[in-house]
Amino acid sequence: MRFLHGFDPVEITGFDADTTVLEWLREERGQPGTKEGCASGDCGACTVVVVRPGEDGTLRYSAVNACIATLGSLHGCQLISVENLRDGESLHPVQQAMVDLHGSQCGFCTPGFVMSLFALYHDSGATSPSREQVLEALGGNLCRCTGYRPIVEAALASCAAPPRDRFSAAARARHHHGCSAWGHCRVTGTATAGSLYTAQRVPRRWRSCWLVSRRRACIAGGTDLLLDVHPGAARRCQC
Ligand code: FES
Ligand code: FES
């Protein structure tokens, strides 16, 4: 499978079907900035952004819970995690706003909030998001100690103008350069006996895959199945 992490091309030839994006980032990539809180999709501490082209060709920035997203789901995408945001010595505008407006105390939730703000920064386009849109964008992130007012203020301040960061400047060309597998038969990964991940974009191929793997689980997303698998349940096949 191939994807971009930040602007770095990544190619992985073998992986467990139930490896999560969070496990890959922290344990294999060695980047602990993305936090594990609840490990069940509830707190938002593990939020990352996954970039995919929309139907109109524009890039869509989606905030994703890395603890319940499979590594295989990244094939052909751009993964952006909190370590990718800084540009040299400069913080990203959403990070700087969190600093300036005192949006963090203990900091455990902060990388997740920052990534949700980063998705909003790109997805709100040329218009400033309303307070309701900010609350919607931050609805999956929990903070126990700062309080939400300064975080909402940081969102309103940093997302008020059209995005002007290195991602918006160079993203499209590099994204497509690194993700040339769009529209093709997608990814198959296997690392241990009984572990298989396959994803197909062509419905006919998906059906033939399902026919040979009837005893396996088929998922769209991750959510409930990943909660089931991760406490150590049996390996699964995911289509
Ligand atoms: S660690 Fe809580 S949502 Fe992922
Ligand atoms: S800053 Fe401590 S949980 Fe949010």
Side-chain angles (χ1 to χ4, degrees):
M1 64 175 288
R2 296 172 61 205
F3 61 97
L4 295 181
H5 182 202
F7 292 115
D8 297 335
V10 175
E11 187 162 349
I12 299 175
T13 53
F15 59 95
D16 281 350
D18 52 13
T19 302
T20 65
V21 174
L22 182 62
E23 288 171 332
W24 181 78
L25 279 170
R26 293 179 62 87
E27 295 168 21
E28 296 187 37
R29 197 69 164 167
Q31 297 198 349
T34 305
K35 302 304 180 201
E36 178 172 320
C38 65
S40 57
D42 290 326
C43 72
C46 64
T47 305
V48 295
V49 166
V50 176
V51 187
R52 298 183 175 92
E55 290 185 358
D56 61 359
T58 59
L59 297 179
R60 296 287 160 82
Y61 290 70
S62 305
V64 168
N65 287 333
C67 67
I68 52 169
T70 52
L71 179 62
S73 68
L74 294 180
H75 180 65
C77 300
Q78 183 182 27
L79 168 68
I80 302 174
S81 56
V82 69
E83 284 92 346
N84 300 130
L85 295 198
R86 193 184 181 105
D87 188 1
E89 293 301 306
S90 303
L91 294 177
H92 189 275
V94 299
Q95 293 175 304
Q96 192 61 56
M98 287 284 275
V99 173
D100 295 343
L101 293 162
H102 311 290
S104 178
Q105 284 191 35
C106 80
F108 191 81
C109 69
T110 307
F113 271 101
V114 161
M115 295 314 296
S116 291
L117 292 183
F118 175 73
L120 179 68
Y121 177 87
H122 279 278
D123 255 13
S124 53
T127 56
S128 307
S130 64
R131 181 171 287 271
E132 287 67 32
Q133 287 171 315
V134 168
L135 295 179
E136 176 83 14
L138 298 179
N141 295 88
L142 301 180
C143 176
R144 291 184 173 193
C145 54
T146 299
Y148 295 98
R149 185 183 53 78
I151 300 173
V152 171
E153 286 176 357
L156 291 169
S158 59
C159 300
R164 282 189 199 177
D165 60 5
R166 64 194 179 113
F167 295 93
S168 45
R172 180 178 291 272
R174 297 195 67 168
H175 183 87
H176 287 289
H177 173 72
C179 301
S180 58
W182 288 122
H184 295 287
C185 172
R186 295 190 68 200
V187 56
T188 296
T190 180
T192 57
S195 169
L196 173 69
Y197 184 105
T198 179
Q200 311 288 340
R201 284 183 172 264
V202 181
R204 181 168 40 83
R205 291 185 180 151
W206 187 92
R207 185 168 183 279
S208 56
C209 171
W210 183 76
L211 286 173
V212 298
S213 309
R214 285 181 187 227
R215 294 175 52 214
R216 311 288 186 159
C218 300
I219 63 168
T223 56
D224 291 352
L225 182 63
L226 267 290
L227 296 184
D228 179 24
V229 164
H230 261 274
R235 302 288 184 189
R236 308 259 184 167
C237 165
Q238 301 155 356
C239 299

